[in-house]
Amino acid sequence: MAAAEKAVWGPLVGAVDQGTSSTRFLVFNSKTAELLSHHQVEIKQEFPREGWVEQDPKEILHSVCECVEKTCEKLGQLNIDISNIKAIGVSNQRETTVVWDKSTGEPLYNAVVWLDLRTQSTVESLSKRIPGNNNFVKSKTGLPLSTYFSAVKLRWILDNVREVQKAVKENRALFGTVDSWLIWSLTGGVNGGVHCTDVTNASRTMLFNIHSLEWDKELCEFFGIPMEILPNVRSSSEIYGLMKAGALEGVPISGCLGDQSAALVGQMCFQDGQAKNTYGTGCFLLCNTGRKCVFSEHGLLTTVAYKLGRDKPVFYALEGSVAIAGAVIRWLRDNLGIIKTSEEIEKLAKEVGTSYGCYFVPAFSGLYAPYWDPSARGIICGLTQFTNKCHIAFAALEAVCFQTREILDAMNRDCGIPLRHLQVDGGMTSNKILMQLQADILYIPVVKPSMPETTALGAAMAAGAAEGVGVWSLEPEDLSAVTMERFEPQINAEESEIRYSTWKKAVMKSMGWVTTQSPESGDPSIFCSLPLGFFIVSSMVMLIGARYISGIP
């Protein structure tokens, strides 16, 4: 009977989903796209200075190995034979920069996370070298010069970390985004590990020409990056190498996509004009623009969406990037202690059902699309003596929705055809208040798949469809139908517009906040520019503290 049950499952595909906040490993049935089992581990973030965000590359790697082993144990308990796992895909936080020693396998510095702001003075000095009438960086990469992308993070590491300087000189250093670090380590590391990345991750480095699909010599010279430390660029769906240890030793790693591209594939947005919005640490709206690069006039990025095979065409996307979404909930939990678990935010917001005129702009890492203002910082405004933690919780959820409205408006202007509904995914979509707020603020329906793990699903689809694996068909007629939950707007359009225009006023007040030296200098005086205006935070904390002391909820 057990053997018969195992036979039902057929070929399975695993997916590593390595995000900013956590790592997961998930296993899917390649014929039905059903999620069979998974395991998740939260990842630490380190903040050594104001504006700096780092992670330990070894902790990231260990978390992946732990998730793989635990998931395989869970499959065993379900009487599912792990030998049915025919391929593994990798999806990862993009832009986060790792440099390691190829002779020892040890990281030479912490991973500098995509949210990190330490490179602002580097960006400012480099921008002066770009001719006003020839922004060759943007025309080749589709990206604005920003602290967000890998090239400036790598430049900072090369300038400031002696161990890296020495390793580069001795030809021992390798650079990669998180996918490269994981694939190299999992395929053998110092014993023949494969040093590669895929086109979607390469397109987020600011060193990659999205037209020729190659590392660009002019860009590498501009940023001062030695090309010999860069990984080989491959398609998003092909066999890169085999797992060399653990429960899945010998299984091919055959899919690799940056997390937002993976979600686009997982949402099956394969047609020109289809779009999705993912709610994770940040918030990312991608619209498939087909085989042509569309350059935005409204603050969006042009990026590689996917290339699902060595001989398959490349597809592009327009992207609206918001730095802080789920991260604001984590901030309320870890920094202010307003909630003990992330799930509590929905309960607090439900108690009041309104922010009562309180607006929260969580510009902890400046503002991304459509503003690209690194000098912005977070503010909470509209506070009164009536304001309590429930209103702040509600305002935090609204902030995620308002930021999505801004990038959706930009997307509609660039594409010329407004989206009639928004497909959503990501961890935050389990929050029903957030989803209803989003429908109200966009004033269009929000559509959520019943299985929200679309990022991992996209990586699994790419892995299973790879040449030499062939257990997952991406033909339209073979793709599984997805059950959707739909949220319709429940307020009138006028109220929606009033709330949005007030939010825009708050955004204006957050801009131009940092006027002192860059955090790169290490001068203690920089810490006078705190992530949230000092007096605003002081008032808020005093207000909350007074209510706790007096017993007022």
Side-chain angles (χ1 to χ4, degrees):
M1 184 172 177
E5 186 177 357
K6 289 176 188 175
V8 170
W9 297 113
L12 309 180
V13 180
V16 172
D17 181 4
Q18 204 300 299
T20 316
S21 302
S22 69
T23 297
R24 292 179 295 173
F25 185 70
L26 307 91
V27 174
F28 297 90
N29 183 325
S30 66
K31 300 305 178 189
T32 65
E34 180 187 356
L35 174 61
L36 301 180
S37 187
H38 77 283
H39 189 76
Q40 180 170 351
V41 174
E42 192 166 300
I43 297 291
K44 292 176 188 168
Q45 294 179 45
E46 300 175 23
F47 307 95
R49 297 187 187 180
E50 191 269 326
W52 292 29
V53 189
E54 296 179 358
Q55 290 179 323
D56 179 356
K58 291 180 78 172
E59 182 192 353
I60 290 173
L61 177 60
H62 292 157
S63 71
V64 170
C65 295
E66 180 184 343
C67 287
V68 169
E69 298 303 311
K70 295 286 188 186
T71 303
C72 288
E73 288 175 17
K74 291 177 181 178
L75 288 171
Q77 292 164 9
L78 294 169
N79 202 28
I80 297 172
D81 190 344
I82 62 171
S83 68
N84 284 325
I85 298 176
K86 303 303 181 185
I88 295 169
V90 174
S91 163
N92 58 286
Q93 53 172 310
R94 304 169 302 170
E95 300 94 20
T96 295
T97 299
V98 187
V99 181
W100 67 96
D101 188 324
K102 67 182 178 184
S103 62
T104 66
E106 292 293 311
L108 294 167
Y109 192 69
N110 269 349
V112 179
V113 176
W114 58 277
L115 287 163
D116 189 280
L117 287 176
R118 76 186 69 187
T119 55
Q120 184 51 37
S121 69
T122 302
V123 168
E124 289 166 2
S125 62
L126 286 169
S127 65
K128 293 171 185 173
R129 293 169 45 202
I130 298 176
N133 61 349
N134 179 25
N135 189 341
F136 65 94
V137 174
K138 187 169 184 180
S139 65
K140 288 186 174 194
T141 67
L143 311 174
L145 192 56
S146 166
T147 60
Y148 182 16
F149 307 107
S150 308
V152 290
K153 301 177 194 300
L154 181 54
R155 181 67 260 156
W156 185 93
I157 291 171
L158 290 168
D159 287 339
N160 292 279
V161 183
R162 288 180 186 173
E163 291 88 345
V164 172
Q165 294 165 0
K166 189 169 185 289
V168 170
K169 197 172 182 181
E170 297 173 0
N171 197 30
R172 291 183 289 109
L174 295 178
F175 152 77
T177 41
V178 170
D179 58 304
S180 297
W181 162 244
L182 292 177
I183 292 172
W184 183 84
S185 300
L186 295 172
T187 56
V190 296
N191 298 310
V194 179
H195 186 216
C196 69
T197 188
D198 90 299
V199 289
T200 68
N201 281 294
S203 75
R204 312 299 291 193
T205 61
M206 233 165 22
L207 301 170
F208 186 71
N209 188 313
I210 62 173
H211 310 284
S212 67
L213 302 182
E214 296 174 328
W215 298 121
D216 190 283
K217 188 179 178 191
E218 184 184 16
L219 290 170
C220 289
E221 287 174 353
F222 176 73
F223 289 104
I225 305 300
M227 294 185 76
E228 59 270 16
I229 72 173
L230 302 178
N232 293 319
V233 182
R234 312 275 285 272
S235 78
S236 308
S237 179
E238 62 179 272
I239 296 175
Y240 313 112
L242 307 181
M243 291 281 285
K244 288 299 173 65
L248 297 182
E249 184 176 354
V251 176
I253 299 175
S254 54
C256 180
L257 291 153
D259 53 7
Q260 302 313 316
S261 289
L264 195 72
V265 171
Q267 285 265 32
M268 302 176 203
C269 295
F270 294 126
Q271 301 300 315
D272 190 342
Q274 288 186 304
K276 66 86 207 173
N277 196 39
T278 300
Y279 299 76
T281 297
C283 207
F284 303 89
L285 176 64
L286 268 71
C287 179
N288 189 330
T289 61
R291 300 185 192 184
K292 61 184 182 294
C293 285
V294 175
F295 284 85
S296 173
E297 297 180 1
H298 300 96
L300 303 180
L301 311 176
T302 303
T303 196
V304 174
Y306 51 81
K307 186 178 188 295
L308 295 174
R310 274 181 288 194
D311 301 322
K312 296 293 175 68
V314 64
F315 281 72
Y316 296 94
L318 275 175
E319 174 175 325
S321 313
V322 170
I324 304 294
V328 74
I329 311 305
R330 189 167 177 164
W331 184 83
L332 291 175
R333 183 193 72 185
D334 296 346
N335 292 41
L336 285 195
I338 285 179
I339 52 176
K340 290 180 181 176
T341 66
S342 298
E343 292 72 27
E344 285 179 38
I345 193 84
E346 186 171 10
K347 183 182 174 185
L348 285 184
K350 192 174 183 179
E351 282 184 32
V352 287
T354 175
S355 65
Y356 206 79
C358 172
Y359 286 81
F360 191 162
V361 183
F364 301 153
S365 295
L367 288 169
Y368 283 13
Y371 302 102
W372 298 105
D373 181 4
S375 71
R377 287 297 180 269
I379 64 167
I380 300 176
C381 53
L383 298 173
T384 70
Q385 286 183 308
F386 183 73
T387 309
N388 63 34
K389 62 182 181 180
C390 297
H391 299 117
I392 292 168
F394 195 95
L397 295 181
E398 274 192 320
V400 175
C401 301
F402 286 131
Q403 290 179 105
T404 297
R405 166 76 187 266
E406 290 190 304
I407 56 177
L408 184 73
D409 283 357
M411 189 80 71
N412 287 338
R413 287 196 293 271
D414 276 325
C415 295
I417 303 171
L419 289 176
R420 288 177 294 183
H421 66 268
L422 182 65
Q423 291 178 231
V424 300
D425 58 78
M428 293 187 78
T429 60
S430 61
N431 187 319
K432 291 186 181 297
I433 286 184
L434 177 71
M435 292 295 94
Q436 187 57 57
L437 272 173
Q438 189 66 88
D440 290 345
I441 288 166
L442 296 179
Y443 211 66
I444 59 173
V446 168
V447 181
K448 171 194 160 188
S450 56
M451 200 289 292
E453 305 294 350
T454 53
T455 300
L457 178 61
M461 289 166 67
E467 185 179 348
V469 178
V471 299
W472 204 310
S473 173
L474 299 183
E475 294 302 319
E477 63 271 18
D478 295 329
L479 295 173
S480 303
V482 179
T483 308
M484 296 286 190
E485 184 176 2
R486 192 176 177 94
F487 296 84
E488 300 282 350
Q490 292 183 354
I491 63 174
N492 62 53
E494 185 181 4
E495 183 184 346
S496 180
E497 288 304 317
I498 290 170
R499 284 159 68 174
Y500 183 48
S501 64
T502 310
W503 155 263
K504 300 276 274 188
K505 277 172 57 180
V507 170
M508 292 301 113
K509 293 181 187 300
S510 78
M511 297 171 77
W513 194 272
V514 176
T515 55
T516 55
Q517 293 175 250
S518 158
E520 284 185 27
S521 66
D523 184 341
S525 66
I526 64 163
F527 299 114
C528 294
S529 295
L530 295 173
L532 284 166
F534 174 75
F535 296 109
I536 295 171
V537 172
S538 298
S539 302
M540 180 181 69
V541 173
M542 287 170 66
L543 175 64
I544 294 166
R547 289 180 175 274
Y548 274 125
I549 292 166
S550 62
I552 300 172

